Amino acid sequence: MYAQMVKSTGKGLKSRKEMTPEEGRFQDRIDAGEKIEPKDWMPDGYRQTLIRQIGQHAHSEIVGQLPEGNWITRAPTLSRKLILLAKVQDEAGHGLYLYCAAETLGVSRDELTEALHTGRMKYSSIFNYPTLTWADIGAIGWLVDGAAIMNQVPLQRTSYGPYARAMVRICKEESFHQRQGYDIMMKMANGTEAQRAMAQDALNRFWYPSLMMFGPSDKDSVHSAQSMAWKIKINTNDELRQKFVDQTVPQAEYLGLTIPDNDLKYNKKTGHYEFSDPDWTEFFEVLKGNGPCNRERLGARVKAWDDGAWVRDGLMAHAVKHSAKIAAE
Ligand code: 3HC
């Protein structure tokens, strides 16, 4: 039932002539920039693509708490600890809004959770990398939340109403996250030699995984063509990756840090930076479950779900007793 199994390719896009009258009317609404709402008619592929993307996005927010949660008890000051706690809590909130948006498409939160735990649904590749030092928390805020915002700001205009509306608040909060990360990087980059080295090392390790967050190159992207025709995606993976590099290189220069790419150069003619691709073999390995932390991350989620069973059971038992009491009155 999940769109992980629905492979819409650019080549598979239906022409106007091939569409049923209902599909044609739906496409007209999309082309006119109308929002699609939960009770509106929609093609099954549109529904399944949204469940896949929103579900994967929700899972990313939830799994994304783990690498940072790892540093809450080790934050260097009380103020940094409070900020990190609030950030991690925001990510939980983002996951919840997104699960709610997915539920409007007829899938339950339990089904989505089960699909994550059994490996049928993905979460962002970036969260399969370890956080080894405090500077990694800075790099995550700066680069990972920075990449997330680059991808998510256009999603505020996505064609599905509940997803677009959820993205408005998420993007506002992600901007704070990005700034707190950059603030940590500024402190480290302007600190002692050792702190500066930690900041550079964090940038070295998180640069390419951050570029991978935008997905495979356009030529290998399975869903982009159909998702863009439906305005589920507004930009291609490569367009957003380029925007991210263009925005981030001057920020690294301001920090006095070096992007770990010997081929990085500014092209005056195009007004864009030229840069090296990430290692796509590594990317696809991480997607297959073979990244440095895949097993640990999924294991932590499954354990949290199992450990919370007594709370869910308790609530259910209370609900049953409560309804029986009301029925008896
Ligand atoms: N990590 C894991 N899987 C990825 C991926 C990544 N970085 N990039 C692509 N994939 C997967 C796709 O899900 C798809 O797999 P599937 O067919 O089994 O579902 C496959 O690789 C092919 O990629 P496509 O380009 O065809 O897939 P999409 O059209 O869905 O594009 C995307 C991928 C750009 C990530 C898109 O799904 C998207 O914009 N998603 C919404 C944003 C999102 O999920 N962000 C998560 C980032 S983390 C975050 O927000 C937390 C914050 O706190 C930092």
Side-chain angles (χ1 to χ4, degrees):
M1 71 168 288
Y2 297 101
Q4 311 264 32
M5 298 158 205
V6 179
K7 295 294 175 198
S8 51
T9 64
K11 297 140 217 148
L13 279 187
K14 280 189 183 175
S15 68
R16 278 279 168 169
K17 271 191 194 154
E18 290 166 324
M19 288 180 192
T20 63
E22 264 177 329
E23 287 169 344
R25 280 195 293 277
F26 179 81
Q27 192 61 50
D28 288 341
R29 292 191 61 196
I30 297 277
D31 293 346
E34 282 181 38
K35 289 275 178 266
I36 308 300
E37 296 299 337
K39 290 186 178 159
D40 296 349
W41 185 88
M42 60 186 83
D44 194 47
Y46 179 84
R47 186 184 298 278
Q48 299 304 336
T49 300
L50 279 167
I51 291 174
R52 177 184 63 81
Q53 179 166 322
I54 302 174
Q56 175 175 305
H57 193 165
H59 295 326
S60 304
E61 301 281 356
I62 298 297
V63 178
Q65 295 176 99
L66 295 170
E68 290 180 295
N70 181 33
W71 279 88
I72 291 174
T73 52
R74 291 180 282 162
T77 65
L78 181 59
S79 160
R80 292 286 183 201
K81 189 194 286 277
L82 287 172
I83 294 168
L84 186 59
L85 253 178
K87 177 183 192 282
V88 171
Q89 198 173 333
D90 281 353
E91 307 298 2
H94 299 174
L96 299 189
Y97 314 146
L98 288 163
Y99 283 129
C100 289
E103 280 178 318
T104 65
L105 291 154
V107 63
S108 74
R109 176 132 164 229
D110 281 358
E111 284 175 285
L112 292 169
T113 305
E114 209 237 330
L116 170 70
H117 292 177
T118 52
R120 283 184 293 123
M121 277 185 98
K122 297 187 169 80
Y123 57 89
S124 183
S125 50
I126 188 71
F127 301 119
N128 293 306
Y129 291 85
T131 41
L132 304 178
T133 71
W134 174 250
D136 289 8
I137 301 305
I140 289 186
W142 172 35
L143 301 172
V144 174
D145 289 273
I149 298 169
M150 194 55 83
N151 167 277
Q152 291 171 19
V153 164
L155 290 178
Q156 295 176 105
R157 289 179 285 118
T158 192
S159 59
Y160 188 56
Y163 192 22
R165 290 189 286 274
M167 290 321 300
V168 174
R169 177 161 173 182
I170 292 180
C171 284
K172 288 202 168 89
E173 292 179 349
E174 295 291 8
S175 335
F176 275 112
H177 298 174
Q178 201 264 354
R179 282 172 195 207
Q180 69 84 36
Y182 197 68
D183 185 62
I184 294 176
M185 290 308 270
M186 286 217 282
K187 265 270 175 316
M188 304 287 289
N190 293 308
T192 63
E193 265 314 301
Q195 286 172 318
R196 203 176 168 68
M198 273 167 76
Q200 181 63 54
D201 174 59
L203 169 58
N204 292 349
R205 283 181 289 107
F206 276 94
W207 176 250
Y208 286 105
S210 301
L211 296 188
M212 292 175 193
M213 286 176 70
F214 296 95
S217 65
D218 290 351
K219 68 177 175 22
D220 294 322
S221 171
V222 184
H223 304 289
S224 282
Q226 180 63 77
S227 288
M228 288 180 74
W230 279 329
K231 295 192 185 162
I232 290 175
K233 277 169 88 164
I234 311 293
N235 302 92
T236 73
N237 301 353
D238 285 338
E239 279 168 8
L240 292 173
R241 195 171 3 256
Q242 180 70 57
K243 277 181 98 167
F244 174 73
V245 172
D246 290 343
Q247 174 187 281
T248 309
V249 173
Q251 294 173 351
E253 279 166 6
Y254 185 76
L255 291 172
L257 299 178
T258 310
I259 302 277
D261 179 355
N262 292 334
D263 296 326
L264 184 79
K265 60 171 188 289
Y266 186 69
N267 183 326
K268 273 194 190 149
K269 267 196 197 144
T270 61
H272 296 294
Y273 284 91
E274 290 169 9
F275 59 97
S276 307
D277 266 345
D279 177 350
W280 291 120
T281 310
E282 176 182 321
F283 171 75
F284 287 113
E285 277 304 310
V286 174
L287 260 55
K288 276 196 257 164
N290 300 325
C293 298
N294 290 62
R295 281 169 198 81
E296 185 185 331
R297 300 289 186 239
L298 209 52
R301 286 312 312 155
V302 172
K303 182 174 183 308
W305 178 256
D306 292 346
D307 288 352
W310 67 273
V311 180
R312 295 190 297 278
D313 291 348
L315 288 172
M316 285 309 289
H318 175 76
V320 170
K321 271 192 202 163
H322 188 66
S323 340
K325 200 171 142 198
I326 290 189
E329 281 170 4

